[in-house]
Amino acid sequence: MSSFTASVRSFPVGRRARRGTDLKYRCLVVAPSADMSPPSGLNTAGRLATLRQRRRWSDRYYKRRTLHLKERSDPLEGAPQARGIVIEKVGVEAKQPNSAIRKCIKVQLIKNGRQVTAFAVGDGAINFIDEHDEVLVEGIGGRMGRSYGDIPGVRYKVIQVNSVSLDELVRGRKEKPAR
């Protein structure tokens, strides 16, 4: 026999329930709450499994993973990198206490047409990027796919321009091919 006990609550039902006349009561059996011990004894494994499955949904990481929320909201759709076309060059002001204009570009992704802002890493790197160039972007490395450092709202960085590494271009090892 199971030692399962549930709390029973009664509440008024009907239009006049609030005024205190003609009260009808309906009973509601509530599942074991946090202060009650979980069911124990023989034949309770199924019940424990059911309760565990129900309570897993309050774990935000389980919910995001199971419903694939990251893939749906992420412009890269869960991929590590994505190709896009440069729309314009923009300067993003750094957050306090730093004072600088970070050179970024607006990119329209080829796979889904969404626009993202990407940071051009390196001294003078923005000079190697022109409008309508094809670039490869990846996450900038912030926690949980968010922005990094003092660049607000920028989650991605440029790693290739016209299939040539941006780092190689900045260091002068390679030249940008004419498209």
Side-chain angles (χ1 to χ4, degrees), residues 73-91:
S73 62
D74 181 22
L76 272 54
E77 297 172 355
Q81 300 166 342
R83 289 201 176 277
I85 304 296
V86 178
I87 298 170
E88 64 173 332
K89 298 180 185 182
V90 291

Side-chain angles (χ1 to χ4, degrees), residues 73-144:
S73 62
D74 181 22
L76 272 54
E77 297 172 355
Q81 300 166 342
R83 289 201 176 277
I85 304 296
V86 178
I87 298 170
E88 64 173 332
K89 298 180 185 182
V90 291
V92 178
E93 275 194 48
K95 286 195 277 194
Q96 287 292 344
N98 296 341
S99 176
I101 295 178
R102 304 290 181 214
K103 309 304 186 286
C104 299
I105 57 169
K106 274 220 162 84
V107 178
Q108 183 166 16
L109 300 179
I110 294 171
K111 70 191 302 183
N112 54 21
R114 286 164 116 178
Q115 289 186 12
V116 297
T117 307
F119 178 58
V121 185
D123 198 6
I126 196 79
N127 300 325
F128 294 101
I129 303 171
D130 300 314
E131 286 187 22
H132 310 299
D133 277 350
E134 187 178 289
V135 293
L136 185 69
V137 295
E138 71 177 7
I140 202 166
R143 291 186 312 156
M144 297 185 66

Side-chain angles (χ1 to χ4, degrees), residues 81 119 135-138 157-161 164-167:
Q81 300 166 342
F119 178 58
V135 293
L136 185 69
V137 295
E138 71 177 7
K157 65 182 176 186
V158 180
I159 53 172
Q160 278 187 3
V161 182
V164 178
S165 168
L166 184 62
D167 188 43

